[in-house]
Amino acid sequence: PGQGYHHFVGKDASRAFVTGDFKYGLTDDVAGLSPEHCAGLLHWRDFYRNHSTYALKGRVIGRFFNEHGQQLPALKKVERLVRCMGGWVRCMGGEWPEKRRGGGEREAHKQMSM
């Protein structure tokens, strides 16, 4: 308790991890996060998963993984959202930056909903 990462011990605080909101964000609820925040979640997941210094100590069962460590639909949805960020595509029921008639671009994206 009281150490640098104590907020994350024994729970999935994904929202706080990418937003820095340690008052209300200590939850695995990622609804409303931007695609960039979702990309951040996957970045840090992969960083810790593949880092030689940080050893897996257990699993947090909940929204993203079941008791066998298998991915649940919510994680697959975040992964799909991030994959869709790379072009002029519609994804996850939201609109991404797209060309409109007459030139120019408009930013019309819907944030993540879970």
Side-chain angles (χ1 to χ4, degrees), residues 94-108:
E95 295 180 12
W96 295 101
E98 61 185 32
K99 299 281 185 185
R100 64 178 169 183
R101 283 189 221 165
E105 299 173 5
R106 69 182 171 93
E107 185 75 24

Side-chain angles (χ1 to χ4, degrees), residues 26-51:
L26 295 172
T27 177
D28 64 352
D29 182 2
V30 296
L33 287 181
S34 70
E36 291 78 15
H37 278 129
C38 291
L41 285 175
L42 298 182
H43 163 78
W44 287 111
R45 177 200 63 186
D46 294 342
F47 174 83
Y48 288 112
R49 177 186 283 169
N50 300 318
H51 202 284

